[in-house]
């Protein structure tokens, strides 16, 4: 295995922002396919991004956006058994 989950999850954020080159994006996709926990995180972040973008205006301060994401993360960590 060439990638740790931590590394993949870290890159995943860039992947979601379309900041990765095609080779790295392919590596992330390969990892997601064989790693259900990372896939879940990916789906979660992807949906979260969609929700945030559809409900909030584009000129929302980055700090506030981060705060919303942190809150939802906390909820996810505490809520899932
Ligand atoms: Zn993983």
């Amino acid at each position: 295995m060439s990638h740790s989950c931590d590394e993949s999850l870290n890159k995943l954020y860039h992947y979601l922002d379309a900041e990765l080159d095609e080779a790295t994006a392919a590596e992330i996709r390969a990892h997601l396919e064989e790693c259900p926990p990372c896939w879940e995180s990916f789906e979660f972040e992807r949906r979260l991004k969609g929700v945030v973008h559809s409900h909030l205006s584009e000129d929302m301060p980055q700090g506030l956006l981060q705060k919303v994401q942190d809150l939802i993360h906390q909820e996810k960590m505490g809520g899932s058994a």
Side-chain angles (χ1 to χ4, degrees):
M1 204 180 289
S2 54
H3 288 280
S4 71
C5 289
D6 277 351
E7 191 185 345
S8 295
L9 285 171
N10 202 20
K11 285 180 182 170
L12 199 142
Y13 292 97
H14 299 290
Y15 178 74
L16 283 163
D17 287 331
E19 289 171 357
L20 296 178
D21 57 85
E22 193 47 47
T24 310
E27 284 177 24
I28 299 298
R29 280 196 295 267
H31 180 86
L32 291 177
E33 275 171 24
E34 59 191 35
C35 187
C38 285
W39 173 254
E40 257 183 58
S41 298
F42 171 73
E43 278 294 298
F44 177 78
E45 293 295 338
R46 201 164 60 94
R47 285 203 206 100
L48 175 63
K49 251 185 131 55
V51 168
V52 168
H53 276 274
S54 59
H55 285 275
L56 303 168
S57 67
E58 297 235 325
D59 56 6
M60 180 174 167
Q62 192 61 36
L64 183 55
L65 184 68
Q66 189 61 51
K67 219 166 184 163
V68 170
Q69 289 178 332
D70 286 350
L71 279 172
I72 296 173
H73 270 283
Q74 282 169 19
E75 200 151 294
K76 188 198 177 197
M77 296 307 172
S80 66

